[in-house]
């Protein structure tokens, strides 16, 4: 009985708390690997968290807060063993755009809205996870997401040039940013520009020149990768020492300034009806984009270790992370590509590595904030620019143009709209483009007239192969499930082919690729059956799958069809060749 009770309790616990799967067998070897990975990611995440907080228009310490509790929450509820969550560039930019409608940056109202935005995002993701709606993310096509991220990366890079040059500039889209910066170009602060440009060049060099240097010294490739990822920390330390030693603050270099030390306080955010009405839609958009981006990274890393992730559990894990960010004074978070790859390459075995990272960030928040006072904003801007430029991939336009013109149009529209009108318009356009693209493809499925490959029992497209056909038989293969969106397209194709050949006495729908027939499609088939029968033409089906056949039998269509339902297309061909035959099983 105790064993039974334990099993009853433990099974749902493992489902909703994936950490319960690896914690019982956690070993000392895993502890060592996770601890090392946690330390490495902590070093990388400190400058990133500060930079992305400033990108979102928030005080620097908020970035640290968003990198503590969310990591622990995801470690408990996330299904990926190596995904590292926290502030990311695209979500930070989207947050800044949404919060810009609420109040001035760094104001109390702005911070409260950021906290509420994270909480709303988390609650939305949790709701989708509980309802097992992870499949909804599949409606956002990856080319569209790639286009949106590329355009967002360009916007982020341009938005950081003001910090790099020491000027003031505002704007949520590329034209506004360029206009604002051009008006302030005469105010460029040369010392800030020299400092920021130096860090920028160093970071770019570290990705190329440093790799060659370390490899020539015999350093292993995995170690080189980790050292390169730590380059921003070197930039932070060097510029802090330069500012403090040369008193660059007195020369007008903008600094991060005073960062309150200590851990975040935990409290449930205050809900305002007006504020919720303003933020719920941006929260949904941030959630969707963040989820798709995070799942993509998690799948890639899991595949490399022959592990798998649960799409619905990822919703729960990311939802819990965002709620944890909200109640600890943070802003929206999601799985980050660069830090997750570093976490993976550093040897992380389980999510305990993220727990160690959270502890490291907490220690930094408690003890290192006095040293961060002298950190130049230009250094963080350079860090962001180098990070986001790795996300920019305009080759997606060339690739989609060659492979799928419809995808190319969707990607191009998403990029252009994002650059010209901002991220909210861009992500909205991307969602619409993905759905329209999906509906367009399902509304016009591939339909081929097929014939018998001589000497075999196989049937292929008459336009691609030399095949045998029967003048009195029209065989059409439908390469898609039949639904309300494409039933009319099939109907028109059948009538057009029949009208073009007066010899046709039999129409066979080859259903080998049809996994489902909905009610609208069934009504269309009934109409086609009636219209063909009135013209003296029999309608037949072949290779109908079991579940589809069950539905046709329950609907009564099997009794109504004017022709027969054949087990194979070859059986239909041989039976109708002599205009005879018995119904198949």
């Amino acid at each position: 009985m105790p064993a039974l009770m334990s099993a009853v309790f433990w099974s749902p616990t493992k489902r909703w708390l994936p950490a319960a799967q690896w914690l019982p067998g956690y070993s000392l070897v895993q502890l060592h690997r996770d601890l090392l990975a946690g330390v490495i990611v902590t070093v990388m995440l400190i400058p990133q968290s500060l930079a992305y907080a400033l990108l979102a228009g928030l005080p620097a310490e908020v970035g640290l807060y968003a990198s503590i509790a969310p990591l622990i929450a995801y470690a408990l509820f996330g299904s990926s063993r190596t995904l590292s969550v926290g502030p990311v560039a695209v979500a930070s930019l989207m947050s800044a755009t949404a919060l810009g409608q609420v109040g001035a940056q760094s104001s109390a109202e702005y911070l409260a809205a950021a906290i509420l935005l994270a909480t709303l995002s988390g609650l939305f993701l949790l709701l989708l996870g509980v309802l097992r709606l992870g499949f909804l993310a599949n409606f956002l096509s990856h080319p569209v997401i790639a286009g949106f991220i590329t355009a967002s990366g360009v916007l982020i890079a341009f938005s950081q040039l003001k910090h790099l040059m020491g000027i003031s500039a505002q704007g949520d889209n590329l034209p506004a940013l360029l206009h604002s910066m051009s008006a302030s170009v005469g105010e460029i602060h040369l010392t800030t520009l020299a400092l920021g440009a130096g860090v920028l060049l160093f970071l770019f060099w570290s990705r190329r020149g440093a790799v060659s240097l370390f490899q020539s010294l015999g350093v292993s490739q995995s170690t080189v990768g980790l050292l390169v990822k730590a380059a921003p920390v070197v930039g932070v330390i060097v510029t802090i020492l330069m500012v403090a030693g040369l008193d660059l603050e007195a020369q007008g270099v903008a600094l991060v300034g005073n960062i309150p030390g200590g851990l975040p306080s935990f409290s449930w955010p205050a809900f305002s009806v007006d504020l919720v009405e303003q933020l719920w839609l941006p929260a949904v958009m941030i959630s969707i984009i963040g989820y798709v981006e995070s799942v993509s990274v998690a799948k890639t890393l899991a595949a490399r270790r022959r592990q798998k992730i649960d799409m619905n559990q990822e919703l729960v894990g990311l939802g819990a992370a965002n709620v944890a960010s909200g109640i600890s004074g943070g802003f929206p978070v999601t799985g980050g590509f660069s830090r997750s790859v570093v976490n993976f390459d550093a040897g992380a075995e389980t999510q305990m590595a993220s727990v160690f990272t959270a502890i490291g960030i907490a220690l930094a928040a408690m003890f290192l904030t006095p040293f961060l006072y002298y950190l130049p904003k230009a250094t963080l801007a350079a860090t962001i620019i180098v990070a986001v430029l790795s996300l920019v991939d305009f080759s997606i336009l060339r690739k989609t143009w060659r492979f799928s013109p419809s995808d190319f149009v969707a990607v191009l529209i998403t990029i252009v709209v994002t650059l010209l009108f901002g991220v909210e318009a861009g992500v909205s356009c991307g969602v619409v483009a993905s759905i329209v693209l999906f509906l367009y493809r399902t509304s016009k499925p591939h339909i081929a007239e097929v014939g018998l490959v001589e000497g075999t029992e196989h049937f292929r497209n008459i336009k691609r192969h030399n095949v045998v056909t029967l003048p009195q038989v029209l065989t059409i293969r439908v390469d898609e499930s039949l639904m309300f969106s494409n039933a009319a397209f099939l109907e028109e194709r059948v009538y057009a082919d029949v009208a073009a050949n007066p010899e046709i006495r039999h129409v066979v729908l080859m259903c080998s690729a049809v996994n489902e027939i909905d009610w609208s499609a069934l009504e269309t088939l009934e109409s086609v059956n009636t219209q063909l029968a009135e013209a003296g033409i029999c309608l037949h089906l072949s290779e109908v799958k079991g579940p589809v056949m069950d539905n046709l039998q329950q609907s009564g269509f099997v009794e109504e069809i004017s022709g027969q339902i054949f087990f194979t297309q070859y059986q239909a061909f041989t039976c109708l060749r002599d205009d005879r035959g018995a119904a198949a099983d």
Side-chain angles (χ1 to χ4, degrees), residues 120-139:
L120 291 175
S121 178
L123 293 175
F124 175 71
L125 288 168
L126 284 173
L127 177 63
L128 293 183
V130 171
L131 297 178
R132 315 293 287 176
L133 297 178
F135 70 92
L136 291 177
N138 296 330
F139 287 95

Side-chain angles (χ1 to χ4, degrees), residues 4 16 102 129 157 186 221-222 242 281 310 313 325 328 350 366 474 498 509 519:
L4 177 62
W16 294 106
V102 175
Q221 186 172 353
S222 59
M242 289 179 63
L281 185 56
D310 185 330
Q313 190 60 39
S325 183
S328 61
T350 70
M366 294 172 64
L474 169 66
V498 168
L509 294 183
W519 183 258

Side-chain angles (χ1 to χ4, degrees), residues 431-468:
V431 171
V432 172
S434 295
I435 295 175
V436 169
L437 191 60
F438 170 77
L439 293 176
Y440 173 78
R441 286 171 173 168
T442 57
S443 68
K444 294 187 175 182
H446 181 259
I447 297 177
E449 182 179 351
V450 298
L452 177 66
V453 178
E454 197 167 9
T456 74
E457 296 184 4
H458 299 291
F459 288 77
R460 293 293 185 267
N461 191 334
I462 64 172
K463 294 181 179 180
R464 294 177 179 269
H465 303 272
N466 293 321
V467 294
V468 178

Side-chain angles (χ1 to χ4, degrees), residues 11-52:
S11 180
T13 300
K14 284 186 175 181
R15 174 185 173 185
W16 294 106
L17 200 69
Q21 298 177 9
W22 51 264
L23 269 176
Y26 196 66
S27 66
L28 188 61
V29 173
Q30 289 176 315
L31 173 65
H32 290 158
R33 292 176 179 174
D34 287 342
L35 181 59
L36 175 62
V39 171
I40 292 173
V41 175
T42 298
V43 172
M44 174 187 179
L45 189 53
I46 290 175
Q48 271 195 2
S49 60
L50 297 172
Y52 292 144

Side-chain angles (χ1 to χ4, degrees), residues 296-317:
S296 177
V297 176
K299 280 183 175 180
T300 302
L301 296 180
R304 289 168 63 179
R305 289 186 179 172
R306 297 189 179 184
Q307 298 169 348
K308 65 178 183 178
I309 65 167
D310 185 330
M311 298 278 284
N312 293 305
Q313 190 60 39
E314 282 302 288
L315 287 167
V316 175

Side-chain angles (χ1 to χ4, degrees), residues 167 285 379 453 491 572:
I167 61 176
M285 292 180 176
T379 299
V453 178
E491 183 180 22

Side-chain angles (χ1 to χ4, degrees), residues 10 89 98 123 132 158 170 187 238 246-247 269 367 369 415 528:
W10 199 245
L123 293 175
R132 315 293 287 176
F158 272 94
Q170 302 296 328
E187 303 172 3
V238 170
L246 302 175
D247 194 19
F367 302 111
T369 52
I415 290 176
V528 170

